[in-house]
Amino acid sequence: MMISTKGRYALYVMIDLAEHCDGGYIPMKDVAGRQGISLKYLEKILPVLTKNNMIEGVHGKGGGYRLTRHPSDYKVGEILRLMEGSLAPVTCLEHGSEACGKTAECRTLSMWQEVDRMMNDYFDGIAISDLMK
């Protein structure tokens, strides 16, 4: 399982917003500059975060984005699953995937299930506040 740029950048955005929050809205150009991410790429990430109530935004003068919750209330796992769709190490463990015809005799299924559990538990145990400076 490889975390995409979209997933990594979403984490960078969330951490940056957490580190620079003062109750106001932070312009995305500021985040883009600090994180070295193009505004065009952020335009793909921000709607997903906004639609899922991770952040809120205001357009116009004095606008920008801010977190909707305290940084300790955001888990890395929820952000990665939102951006990646799944953290499953193999296709047969992805939510909504077709049932594998070899499930009954699969010798590796329990191993993959354990890897899946460990990864999700690990990422769900890390809050955005844990990653702040």
Side-chain angles (χ1 to χ4, degrees), residues 9 12 16 29-39 41-42:
Y9 285 3
Y12 298 159
D16 192 283
K29 65 180 175 126
D30 294 356
V31 176
R34 284 190 294 262
Q35 298 302 321
I37 304 170
S38 76
L39 278 172
Y41 201 88
L42 287 180

Side-chain angles (χ1 to χ4, degrees), residues 35-109:
Q35 298 302 321
I37 304 170
S38 76
L39 278 172
K40 192 158 186 87
Y41 201 88
L42 287 180
E43 289 171 359
K44 296 177 184 180
I45 295 169
L46 297 175
V48 177
L49 295 172
T50 303
K51 180 182 174 190
N52 289 279
N53 299 315
M54 298 280 203
I55 61 174
E56 60 184 3
V58 172
H59 297 289
K61 186 175 176 152
Y65 292 87
R66 69 180 179 191
L67 301 180
T68 58
R69 306 187 306 233
H70 189 272
S72 63
D73 294 331
Y74 293 96
K75 301 300 181 188
V76 168
E78 77 175 309
I79 297 164
L80 289 177
R81 282 187 294 274
L82 177 63
M83 302 310 291
E84 302 294 333
S86 172
L87 299 178
V90 290
T91 306
C92 64
L93 294 180
E94 289 181 352
H95 181 68
S97 66
E98 285 188 36
C100 175
K102 296 181 179 187
T103 300
E105 68 269 356
C106 182
R107 294 175 185 212
T108 61
L109 181 59

